[in-house]
Amino acid sequence: MSSPPILNVYRHDTGNRALVTLTGEINLNSVPLVHASLERRSHDGIRATDVDVTAVTFCDSSSLNAFLYALLQTATAGGSLQLHHPSPALERLVALTGSGSLFLTLPDALAGSRPHPWPSPMYQAAHRLPSAMSVRPGGVL
């Protein structure tokens, strides 16, 4: 019997900004760890959060739900949350749900911080239509 996939969460704080790095798989079994980690940073007074998902090897809709929930909490507190280096699978999930722009519209919680590159990979993914859904003259989407 093989052991279940592992998700690791690393957090590095600088003032009221945090870098949360996720490595491994995010699924129904590990998403509670994502929820708890992202919720904890808001209780610790973190206003701006960068989530690095470079090393996430699997994610499903439960991971997107965790990110959107954290984004809602962060926005309510007047902060910002940004996803960095999403995999093609996460980019596609974000694009299909139309949620990519949500991660871009919040103001940066730290005055004078360096702006994120524009357009970000999440923005590009959210605004890219799959070829099967392209608009044709006289056609309906």
Side-chain angles (χ1 to χ4, degrees), residues 63-74:
S63 60
L64 181 59
N65 184 45
F67 297 139
L68 290 170
Y69 182 77
L71 180 65
L72 178 62
Q73 283 186 316
T74 303

Side-chain angles (χ1 to χ4, degrees), residues 5 7 24-28 30 55-63 87 89:
L7 175 69
E25 293 189 9
I26 306 173
N27 55 35
L28 284 174
S30 62
V56 171
T57 56
F58 175 83
C59 61
D60 58 14
S61 60
S62 65
S63 60
S87 68

